Amino acid sequence: MTADTDPAPSGPPDPQADPDVVDLLEPADGVPPLVTDRTALSDAAAALGSGHGPVAVDAERASGYRYSARAYLVQLRREGAGTFLVDPIACGGDLGELGEALRGVEWVLHAASQDLACLAEVGMRPDSLFDTELAGRLVGYPRVGLGPLTEHLLGVRLQKGHGAADWSRRPLPADWLTYAALDVELLVELRDRVAADLDRQGKTAWAEQEFEAVRLAPPPPPRAEPWRRTSGVHKVRRPAALAVVRELWESRDELAAARDVAPGRLLPDAAIVDAALREPARRDELIAMPVFRGRAQRRLADRWWSAIERARALPRPRWPASAPAPD
């Protein structure tokens, strides 16, 4: 699970922690082998299809490392079948066989809206959904991250610490796979406990409507001016300088998409804002600035300087407005 609403701190156990809470460090059945070919994928689909009850599903992405939001690992667990860790990349990016095997089965996800898009991209779409994070919010639990919720309701502390890792890395480290397997180890049991509280509060039907809305929600429309989300852009007031921010942002975004690299790893937002505010007059002045003088930035200096020159060549009517247009 790439993000957790209330992530538990990494590091050694807190000596002040509840002594009745058990640390879960390994899956009960051990960490399963990684599914990396079509034969193993077919075997996993057959096993999951013959299991019973809901299926726990999770996905790991590489947010902060990759431009795309694709799934680099998919975890599934179902009673009677066990846990499966599936590498979508090694399996050709098509896990539709798993999706077909689980038709009509309730899928249990935590913070489902984070994972449904990347699951759909590999051919996995649930017919029925239970979202433990959303359910926790409806019940009114004070903390609804997977770790805190599991600890509160089941008395079990999950291993944490790899949610923000680069899941595009290969081979995946053994401790990462342990973490991934644990994310679905107790998810169905957690679902049952939350569902019982929903029922006691008379909120089951309401929750089902909310789950269905999440399941069927279309992708959000693209933002009209996504470059305005550049961190620190509020410091840039003049429209001519905002044009520099826009051109640098768009040039960076184009390159990031082509390389499938997170934009901030090519050029930090702070560097874009700094260039707009300092107004370097020549390429040499640009590469003398703190971020731009690095080796990686020197290789891209022509690209960034061309973006600045394009912005400065724009006629005044094509400068961005000082404030964004209302949505």
Side-chain angles (χ1 to χ4, degrees):
M1 184 168 298
T2 302
D4 196 352
T5 307
D6 298 294
S10 58
D14 181 355
Q16 303 300 318
D18 187 342
D20 295 327
V21 173
V22 177
D23 286 296
L24 185 62
L25 302 178
E26 293 283 341
D29 301 324
V31 179
L34 196 57
V35 174
T36 57
D37 58 57
R38 304 304 300 184
T39 300
L41 183 67
S42 295
D43 292 344
L48 288 162
S50 63
H52 51 88
V55 59
V57 183
D58 191 18
E60 305 295 347
R61 300 181 302 281
S63 303
Y65 295 90
R66 297 290 181 175
Y67 184 88
S68 65
R70 70 183 60 177
Y72 285 95
L73 185 71
V74 174
Q75 308 101 281
L76 306 99
R77 180 174 176 83
R78 193 179 187 196
E79 191 69 26
T83 298
F84 293 87
L85 303 180
V86 183
D87 183 341
I89 309 304
C91 292
D94 180 7
L95 306 186
E97 199 169 350
L98 290 177
E100 288 301 318
L102 295 169
R103 286 287 168 221
V105 176
E106 180 186 86
W107 294 21
V108 183
L109 289 94
H110 190 83
S113 61
Q114 297 182 17
D115 290 337
L116 288 179
C118 70
L119 290 169
E121 188 178 21
V122 296
M124 297 181 63
R125 297 174 177 83
D127 292 330
S128 176
L129 174 68
F130 190 104
D131 185 335
T132 49
E133 192 254 6
L134 177 54
R137 292 186 184 280
L138 296 176
V139 169
Y141 300 129
R143 300 178 66 197
V144 294
L146 181 61
L149 207 55
T150 302
E151 186 172 337
H152 173 63
L153 293 178
L154 303 180
V156 175
R157 187 181 297 111
L158 297 177
Q159 181 190 97
K160 304 301 290 183
H162 301 300
D166 179 7
W167 288 90
S168 67
R169 173 178 168 182
R170 294 297 183 272
L172 287 168
D175 57 332
W176 294 16
L177 295 176
T178 299
Y179 160 88
L182 289 175
D183 265 358
V184 292
E185 177 83 1
L186 300 175
L187 200 50
V188 171
E189 186 177 348
L190 183 66
R191 171 241 182 266
D192 292 343
R193 291 292 299 271
V194 182
D197 283 346
L198 284 171
D199 186 59
R200 276 192 288 272
Q201 294 182 5
K203 295 178 179 177
T204 298
W206 178 20
E208 289 172 349
Q209 293 171 15
E210 293 293 326
F211 300 155
E212 190 69 357
V214 170
R215 187 181 74 87
L216 298 176
R223 291 181 174 272
E225 296 181 301
W227 62 270
R228 288 192 185 271
R229 291 177 63 83
T230 304
S231 180
V233 73
H234 64 281
K235 302 174 187 176
V236 184
R237 302 293 186 181
R238 296 189 311 107
L242 286 171
V244 172
V245 173
R246 182 177 64 189
E247 290 294 331
L248 281 170
W249 188 97
E250 290 179 350
S251 182
R252 181 188 68 173
D253 195 66
E254 179 184 31
L255 184 61
R259 295 185 177 182
D260 193 17
V261 175
R265 299 184 79 81
L266 291 176
L267 184 67
D269 281 7
I272 292 178
V273 171
D274 200 24
L277 292 174
R278 290 203 189 191
E279 302 180 347
R282 301 186 311 277
R283 179 183 180 278
D284 288 349
E285 291 183 12
L286 177 71
I287 63 176
M289 292 168 58
V291 172
F292 291 92
R293 71 167 64 111
R295 182 181 303 175
Q297 294 306 329
R298 283 179 178 273
R299 289 197 294 267
L300 294 171
D302 288 343
R303 183 183 191 92
W304 307 139
W305 183 246
S306 293
I308 292 173
E309 288 188 316
R310 284 196 304 274
R312 290 177 177 168
L314 289 173
R316 185 182 295 267
R318 293 183 58 191
W319 290 349
S322 296
D327 293 334

